[in-house]
Short mmCIF file of all heavy atoms in Angstrom, two decimals:
data_model
loop_
_atom_site.label_atom_id
_atom_site.label_comp_id
_atom_site.label_asym_id
_atom_site.label_seq_id
_atom_site.Cartn_x
_atom_site.Cartn_y
_atom_site.Cartn_z
N GLY A 145 -6.33 13.83 22.71
CA GLY A 145 -5.71 13.45 21.30
C GLY A 145 -6.58 12.45 20.56
O GLY A 145 -7.82 12.37 20.80
N CYS A 146 -5.96 11.71 19.69
CA CYS A 146 -6.72 10.77 18.79
C CYS A 146 -6.09 9.50 18.67
O CYS A 146 -4.89 9.41 18.82
CB CYS A 146 -6.71 11.48 17.44
SG CYS A 146 -7.78 10.81 16.17
N ILE A 147 -6.89 8.51 18.45
CA ILE A 147 -6.43 7.11 18.18
C ILE A 147 -7.17 6.72 16.95
O ILE A 147 -8.41 6.85 16.72
CB ILE A 147 -6.78 6.24 19.40
CG1 ILE A 147 -6.15 4.81 19.04
CG2 ILE A 147 -8.29 6.15 19.71
CD1 ILE A 147 -6.32 3.85 20.27
N SER A 148 -6.36 6.16 16.06
CA SER A 148 -6.77 5.56 14.71
C SER A 148 -6.74 4.12 14.97
O SER A 148 -5.81 3.55 15.39
CB SER A 148 -5.99 6.03 13.53
OG SER A 148 -6.11 7.46 13.38
N VAL A 149 -7.72 3.29 14.45
CA VAL A 149 -7.98 1.96 14.63
C VAL A 149 -8.04 1.28 13.40
O VAL A 149 -8.80 1.63 12.46
CB VAL A 149 -9.19 1.64 15.57
CG1 VAL A 149 -9.32 0.11 15.75
CG2 VAL A 149 -9.09 2.33 16.84
N VAL A 150 -7.35 0.13 13.27
CA VAL A 150 -7.48 -0.93 12.07
C VAL A 150 -7.75 -2.15 12.75
O VAL A 150 -6.80 -2.75 13.43
CB VAL A 150 -6.19 -0.91 11.24
CG1 VAL A 150 -6.33 -1.90 10.20
CG2 VAL A 150 -5.94 0.51 10.65
N GLU A 151 -8.84 -2.76 12.50
CA GLU A 151 -9.29 -4.09 13.08
C GLU A 151 -9.34 -5.10 11.90
O GLU A 151 -10.37 -5.18 11.30
CB GLU A 151 -10.43 -3.97 13.94
CG GLU A 151 -10.19 -3.19 15.11
CD GLU A 151 -11.46 -3.28 16.17
OE1 GLU A 151 -12.38 -2.52 15.97
OE2 GLU A 151 -11.38 -4.11 17.06
N SER A 152 -8.27 -5.65 11.52
CA SER A 152 -8.14 -6.72 10.51
C SER A 152 -9.20 -6.69 9.43
O SER A 152 -9.21 -5.68 8.69
CB SER A 152 -8.12 -8.08 11.27
OG SER A 152 -7.45 -8.94 10.42
N GLU A 153 -10.03 -7.61 9.36
CA GLU A 153 -10.89 -7.71 8.13
C GLU A 153 -11.96 -6.51 8.18
O GLU A 153 -12.41 -6.09 7.09
CB GLU A 153 -11.77 -9.06 8.17
CG GLU A 153 -11.04 -10.23 7.87
CD GLU A 153 -10.36 -10.91 9.11
OE1 GLU A 153 -10.36 -10.36 10.25
OE2 GLU A 153 -9.82 -11.98 9.03
N TRP A 154 -12.28 -5.98 9.26
CA TRP A 154 -13.21 -4.83 9.36
C TRP A 154 -12.69 -3.56 8.58
O TRP A 154 -13.48 -3.02 7.76
CB TRP A 154 -13.54 -4.40 10.74
CG TRP A 154 -14.36 -5.38 11.47
CD1 TRP A 154 -14.81 -6.61 10.99
CD2 TRP A 154 -14.69 -5.52 12.83
NE1 TRP A 154 -15.52 -7.34 11.98
CE2 TRP A 154 -15.39 -6.60 13.09
CE3 TRP A 154 -14.43 -4.56 13.90
CZ2 TRP A 154 -15.89 -6.97 14.41
CZ3 TRP A 154 -14.94 -4.89 15.10
CH2 TRP A 154 -15.62 -6.12 15.43
N ALA A 155 -11.53 -3.09 8.85
CA ALA A 155 -11.04 -1.99 8.10
C ALA A 155 -10.09 -2.39 6.96
O ALA A 155 -10.28 -1.82 5.90
CB ALA A 155 -10.29 -1.07 9.07
N ALA A 156 -9.15 -3.28 7.12
CA ALA A 156 -8.19 -3.67 6.19
C ALA A 156 -8.88 -4.51 5.03
O ALA A 156 -8.47 -4.34 3.83
CB ALA A 156 -7.10 -4.34 6.77
N GLY A 157 -9.76 -5.27 5.41
CA GLY A 157 -10.44 -6.05 4.41
C GLY A 157 -9.75 -7.48 4.25
O GLY A 157 -10.06 -8.26 3.33
N PHE A 158 -8.82 -7.78 5.05
CA PHE A 158 -7.99 -8.99 5.04
C PHE A 158 -7.51 -9.20 6.45
O PHE A 158 -7.35 -8.39 7.23
CB PHE A 158 -6.97 -8.95 3.93
CG PHE A 158 -5.96 -7.76 4.13
CD1 PHE A 158 -4.93 -7.91 5.05
CD2 PHE A 158 -6.01 -6.68 3.40
CE1 PHE A 158 -3.98 -6.87 5.26
CE2 PHE A 158 -5.22 -5.64 3.63
CZ PHE A 158 -4.06 -5.77 4.54
N PRO A 159 -7.24 -10.46 6.75
CA PRO A 159 -6.57 -10.84 8.12
C PRO A 159 -5.11 -10.32 8.04
O PRO A 159 -4.38 -10.50 7.05
CB PRO A 159 -6.59 -12.35 8.12
CG PRO A 159 -7.09 -12.91 6.86
CD PRO A 159 -7.54 -11.74 6.00
N ILE A 160 -4.79 -9.63 9.05
CA ILE A 160 -3.38 -9.07 9.14
C ILE A 160 -2.36 -10.05 9.66
O ILE A 160 -2.61 -10.56 10.85
CB ILE A 160 -3.36 -7.81 9.96
CG1 ILE A 160 -4.30 -6.77 9.27
CG2 ILE A 160 -1.91 -7.28 10.09
CD1 ILE A 160 -4.59 -5.56 10.10
N GLN A 161 -1.38 -10.43 8.90
CA GLN A 161 -0.34 -11.45 9.36
C GLN A 161 0.97 -10.82 9.63
O GLN A 161 1.79 -11.35 10.34
CB GLN A 161 -0.13 -12.49 8.31
CG GLN A 161 -1.40 -13.34 8.01
CD GLN A 161 -1.73 -14.20 9.18
OE1 GLN A 161 -0.83 -14.89 9.78
NE2 GLN A 161 -2.96 -14.23 9.57
N ARG A 162 1.21 -9.54 9.15
CA ARG A 162 2.49 -8.97 9.40
C ARG A 162 2.33 -7.44 9.33
O ARG A 162 1.47 -6.88 8.58
CB ARG A 162 3.45 -9.31 8.09
CG ARG A 162 4.89 -8.76 8.29
CD ARG A 162 5.81 -9.38 7.28
NE ARG A 162 5.35 -9.23 5.99
CZ ARG A 162 6.13 -8.65 4.97
NH1 ARG A 162 7.28 -8.11 5.30
NH2 ARG A 162 5.76 -8.56 3.78
N VAL A 163 3.08 -6.69 10.18
CA VAL A 163 3.02 -5.25 10.24
C VAL A 163 4.48 -4.83 10.26
O VAL A 163 5.35 -5.38 10.96
CB VAL A 163 2.40 -4.85 11.67
CG1 VAL A 163 2.47 -3.30 11.77
CG2 VAL A 163 0.95 -5.33 11.81
N TYR A 164 4.78 -3.80 9.42
CA TYR A 164 6.11 -3.21 9.49
C TYR A 164 6.01 -1.72 9.01
O TYR A 164 4.94 -1.31 8.66
CB TYR A 164 7.01 -4.04 8.45
CG TYR A 164 6.62 -3.85 7.00
CD1 TYR A 164 7.12 -2.91 6.11
CD2 TYR A 164 5.81 -4.84 6.42
CE1 TYR A 164 6.74 -2.86 4.82
CE2 TYR A 164 5.44 -4.80 5.14
CZ TYR A 164 5.89 -3.92 4.33
OH TYR A 164 5.59 -3.83 2.95
N PHE A 165 7.01 -0.99 9.35
CA PHE A 165 7.02 0.38 9.01
C PHE A 165 8.33 0.88 8.46
O PHE A 165 9.37 0.37 8.85
CB PHE A 165 6.49 1.26 10.18
CG PHE A 165 7.23 0.97 11.45
CD1 PHE A 165 8.25 1.87 11.89
CD2 PHE A 165 6.81 0.04 12.29
CE1 PHE A 165 8.91 1.69 13.18
CE2 PHE A 165 7.48 -0.24 13.45
CZ PHE A 165 8.41 0.64 13.99
N LEU A 166 8.18 1.89 7.58
CA LEU A 166 9.40 2.47 7.09
C LEU A 166 9.63 3.89 7.76
O LEU A 166 8.67 4.52 7.93
CB LEU A 166 9.17 2.77 5.56
CG LEU A 166 8.78 1.63 4.67
CD1 LEU A 166 8.38 2.06 3.30
CD2 LEU A 166 9.79 0.50 4.60
N HIS A 167 10.83 4.09 8.20
CA HIS A 167 11.12 5.31 8.92
C HIS A 167 12.55 5.75 8.66
O HIS A 167 13.33 5.00 8.17
CB HIS A 167 10.73 5.23 10.37
CG HIS A 167 11.45 4.16 11.07
ND1 HIS A 167 12.69 4.27 11.70
CD2 HIS A 167 11.13 2.81 11.10
CE1 HIS A 167 13.03 3.19 12.24
NE2 HIS A 167 12.20 2.21 11.83
N ASP A 168 12.93 6.92 9.15
CA ASP A 168 14.33 7.31 8.98
C ASP A 168 14.82 7.27 7.57
O ASP A 168 15.95 6.85 7.38
CB ASP A 168 15.23 6.72 10.06
CG ASP A 168 14.91 6.90 11.46
OD1 ASP A 168 14.39 8.11 11.75
OD2 ASP A 168 15.08 6.01 12.31
N LEU A 169 14.01 7.68 6.71
CA LEU A 169 14.37 7.56 5.28
C LEU A 169 15.21 8.77 4.83
O LEU A 169 14.94 9.84 5.00
CB LEU A 169 13.00 7.50 4.39
CG LEU A 169 12.26 6.24 4.79
CD1 LEU A 169 10.77 6.56 4.48
CD2 LEU A 169 12.71 5.00 4.23
N ALA A 170 16.25 8.41 4.06
CA ALA A 170 17.15 9.38 3.59
C ALA A 170 16.47 10.24 2.53
O ALA A 170 15.55 9.73 1.81
CB ALA A 170 18.42 8.83 2.92
N PRO A 171 16.67 11.61 2.45
CA PRO A 171 16.12 12.45 1.39
C PRO A 171 16.28 11.88 -0.06
O PRO A 171 17.30 11.26 -0.32
CB PRO A 171 16.95 13.75 1.50
CG PRO A 171 17.46 13.68 2.90
CD PRO A 171 17.77 12.28 3.22
N GLY A 172 15.20 11.90 -0.75
CA GLY A 172 15.20 11.33 -2.15
C GLY A 172 14.98 9.85 -2.26
O GLY A 172 15.05 9.28 -3.37
N THR A 173 14.91 9.14 -1.11
CA THR A 173 14.70 7.79 -1.14
C THR A 173 13.37 7.29 -1.77
O THR A 173 12.36 7.96 -1.71
CB THR A 173 14.66 7.22 0.32
OG1 THR A 173 15.92 7.45 0.86
CG2 THR A 173 14.27 5.73 0.40
N SER A 174 13.50 6.23 -2.59
CA SER A 174 12.27 5.57 -3.09
C SER A 174 12.25 4.10 -2.59
O SER A 174 13.30 3.55 -2.33
CB SER A 174 12.37 5.44 -4.70
OG SER A 174 12.35 6.79 -5.20
N ARG A 175 11.09 3.67 -2.33
CA ARG A 175 10.85 2.34 -1.75
C ARG A 175 9.82 1.61 -2.73
O ARG A 175 9.23 2.27 -3.57
CB ARG A 175 10.37 2.37 -0.30
CG ARG A 175 11.41 3.06 0.63
CD ARG A 175 12.66 2.21 0.78
NE ARG A 175 12.47 0.87 1.02
CZ ARG A 175 12.84 0.20 2.14
NH1 ARG A 175 13.43 0.94 3.14
NH2 ARG A 175 12.63 -1.10 2.45
N GLY A 176 9.66 0.37 -2.46
CA GLY A 176 8.65 -0.40 -3.19
C GLY A 176 9.40 -0.87 -4.42
O GLY A 176 10.35 -1.58 -4.29
N GLY A 177 9.00 -0.45 -5.59
CA GLY A 177 9.57 -0.92 -6.76
C GLY A 177 9.29 -2.51 -6.97
O GLY A 177 10.22 -3.16 -7.52
N HIS A 178 8.14 -2.98 -6.66
CA HIS A 178 7.73 -4.36 -6.79
C HIS A 178 6.24 -4.47 -6.87
O HIS A 178 5.54 -3.47 -6.62
CB HIS A 178 8.50 -5.22 -5.83
CG HIS A 178 7.94 -4.87 -4.35
ND1 HIS A 178 8.62 -4.04 -3.53
CD2 HIS A 178 6.89 -5.28 -3.70
CE1 HIS A 178 8.01 -3.87 -2.40
NE2 HIS A 178 6.96 -4.65 -2.45
N ALA A 179 5.84 -5.72 -7.07
CA ALA A 179 4.41 -6.07 -7.03
C ALA A 179 4.37 -7.42 -6.24
O ALA A 179 5.47 -8.17 -6.06
CB ALA A 179 3.79 -6.30 -8.45
N HIS A 180 3.18 -7.91 -5.92
CA HIS A 180 2.92 -9.19 -5.31
C HIS A 180 1.94 -10.00 -5.96
O HIS A 180 0.98 -9.46 -6.45
CB HIS A 180 2.45 -8.93 -3.75
CG HIS A 180 3.49 -8.22 -2.91
ND1 HIS A 180 4.54 -9.08 -2.33
CD2 HIS A 180 3.61 -7.00 -2.48
CE1 HIS A 180 5.30 -8.20 -1.61
NE2 HIS A 180 4.75 -6.94 -1.78
#
Side-chain angles (χ1 to χ4, degrees):
C146 188
I147 181 172
S148 297
V149 179
V150 178
E151 293 188 278
S152 205
E153 289 91 350
W154 292 352
F158 55 85
I160 297 167
Q161 295 293 314
R162 183 167 59 118
V163 175
Y164 62 94
F165 52 98
L166 308 173
H167 58 94
D168 296 329
L169 299 157
T173 293
S174 294
R175 297 297 306 244
H178 63 266
H180 293 279

